Amino acid sequence: MSIVKIFSDSTSDLPQGWKETYDIGIVPLYVVFQDGTYKDGVDITPEEVYRRVAANGALPKTAAPSPADFMAAFGPVISSGGDIVYISLSSSLSSTYQNALLAAEEFPEGRVQVVDSQTLCGGIALLVMKAVRAAAKGHSSREIVAMLKQCRDRVETEFVVDTLDYLYMGGRCSGMQNFIGSLLKIRPVLRLIDGAIVPVSKVRGKKEKAVEQMLQHALANAGEMDKELLIVAHTLGEADANFLVAQLREQTDVEEIAVIHAGCVIGSHCGPATVGLMYMH
């Protein structure tokens, strides 16, 4: 039976230690400024993105890896006799999934399996870790894909943004929504539903109220949570992340709570001081 290598893209925001320990392949997306194109997590950091946005008042564009990028990443594994399961950013948010499918068609049938995560960031990371553990137990690529398609419907991905400015600049809310939201200090709580980002509530006042609401929604599901792993993700929102970790450790019996730093592509759409919770039930 072939060895199965797990791949994802840079929007999974996996900690470097996980990538190294479990030999996870990463295909980076692109961050595009006027002066050049940068590979997410390779050529540019989130801090640099926020600095440039603050200086220029304009967001970068983000772009999917090309089919050629995927072929270059997958080729050596296939040539050495391995099989691949690639877990992509939600197909509702990017052409990354579609480009990976095009690349998979260039290899012998069945050697590269492509799975639409229907989520982002830590939600993808949860699925990646499930896949890695299944591969380590000797499961075939087809068995891993079948497992992932069952698991992805159980992933909860919810987050709170600190400012509507990035959503406005990215065309995800109107100028009037941004003005009123800033004036009234409205903090949207966003959730991934069927692969798309949906505002599930708008909390007026301090950001801590919105974070608390997100926490309470998670705690209401605590009895059904997958106990293996829960992820807290943030973009320079360490205080909120630490608060969530402390509360979740105290009020749930999840075995591992990991904190991950969202990268340039996620940060380009959500902005700094965003914080999120990702778990399975």
Side-chain angles (χ1 to χ4, degrees):
M1 184 179 291
S2 297
I3 293 172
V4 179
K5 181 176 173 77
I6 307 303
F7 273 81
S8 188
D9 55 64
S10 59
T11 65
S12 62
D13 295 322
L14 293 166
Q16 187 62 31
W18 292 7
K19 289 184 278 190
E20 292 172 357
T21 300
Y22 302 107
D23 188 30
I24 301 163
I26 296 294
V27 183
L29 275 75
Y30 293 96
V31 178
V32 185
F33 282 98
Q34 283 189 332
D35 70 339
T37 298
Y38 304 87
K39 289 183 177 180
D40 181 15
V42 178
D43 303 325
I44 192 168
T45 65
E47 291 83 355
E48 176 67 9
V49 170
Y50 305 140
R51 187 191 67 75
R52 288 178 174 230
V53 172
N56 303 327
L59 289 182
K61 290 181 167 45
T62 56
S66 67
D69 290 333
F70 283 109
M71 290 173 63
F74 296 160
V77 177
I78 301 302
S79 296
S80 66
D83 288 338
I84 288 170
V85 174
Y86 166 72
I87 306 168
S88 82
L89 172 63
S90 171
S91 62
S92 298
L93 304 175
S94 169
S95 60
T96 300
Y97 169 73
Q98 193 61 41
N99 288 353
L101 283 178
L102 292 172
E105 292 174 359
E106 299 300 316
F107 297 100
E109 187 175 356
R111 298 292 303 281
V112 178
Q113 304 275 348
V114 180
V115 179
D116 180 359
S117 75
Q118 298 181 357
T119 186
L120 49 71
C121 194
I124 305 174
L126 290 171
L127 295 174
V128 168
M129 295 311 294
K130 288 285 184 186
V132 162
R133 288 167 179 144
K137 292 177 182 176
H139 289 282
S140 70
S141 60
R142 293 187 186 280
E143 289 171 336
I144 293 169
V145 168
M147 178 270 294
L148 289 171
K149 288 181 176 178
Q150 289 185 326
C151 285
R152 69 184 175 187
D153 294 333
R154 297 161 37 211
V155 174
E156 286 280 345
T157 300
E158 193 165 291
F159 54 101
V160 174
V161 298
D162 187 52
T163 172
L164 295 176
D165 289 349
Y166 275 63
L167 295 173
Y168 166 61
M169 286 188 283
R172 289 170 175 78
C173 76
S174 69
M176 184 58 70
Q177 286 173 320
N178 187 39
F179 174 74
I180 293 173
S182 299
L183 192 67
L184 301 179
K185 291 186 165 48
I186 292 173
R187 319 283 182 168
V189 181
L190 306 170
R191 190 178 300 160
L192 267 289
I193 299 176
D194 296 328
I197 300 171
V198 178
V200 291
S201 65
K202 296 175 182 177
V203 181
R204 184 175 174 181
K206 292 186 176 181
K207 181 185 172 191
E208 287 79 6
K209 288 172 62 178
V211 173
E212 179 67 30
Q213 181 171 302
M214 181 172 64
L215 171 65
Q216 291 307 318
H217 178 252
L219 292 176
N221 294 325
E224 302 171 358
M225 271 183 192
D226 184 319
K227 300 299 188 279
E228 199 168 58
L229 175 64
L230 181 150
I231 290 175
V232 175
H234 70 94
T235 59
L236 305 186
E238 195 168 347
D240 290 321
N242 290 342
F243 165 77
L244 288 170
V245 169
Q247 293 297 313
L248 290 161
R249 281 189 176 142
E250 185 178 311
Q251 300 186 60
T252 74
D253 56 353
V254 174
E255 294 167 19
E256 181 181 0
I257 299 174
V259 177
I260 69 175
H261 299 268
C264 299
V265 168
I266 299 298
S268 293
H269 294 289
C270 297
T274 295
V275 63
L277 273 175
M278 295 86 181
Y279 55 91
M280 292 179 62
H281 55 71

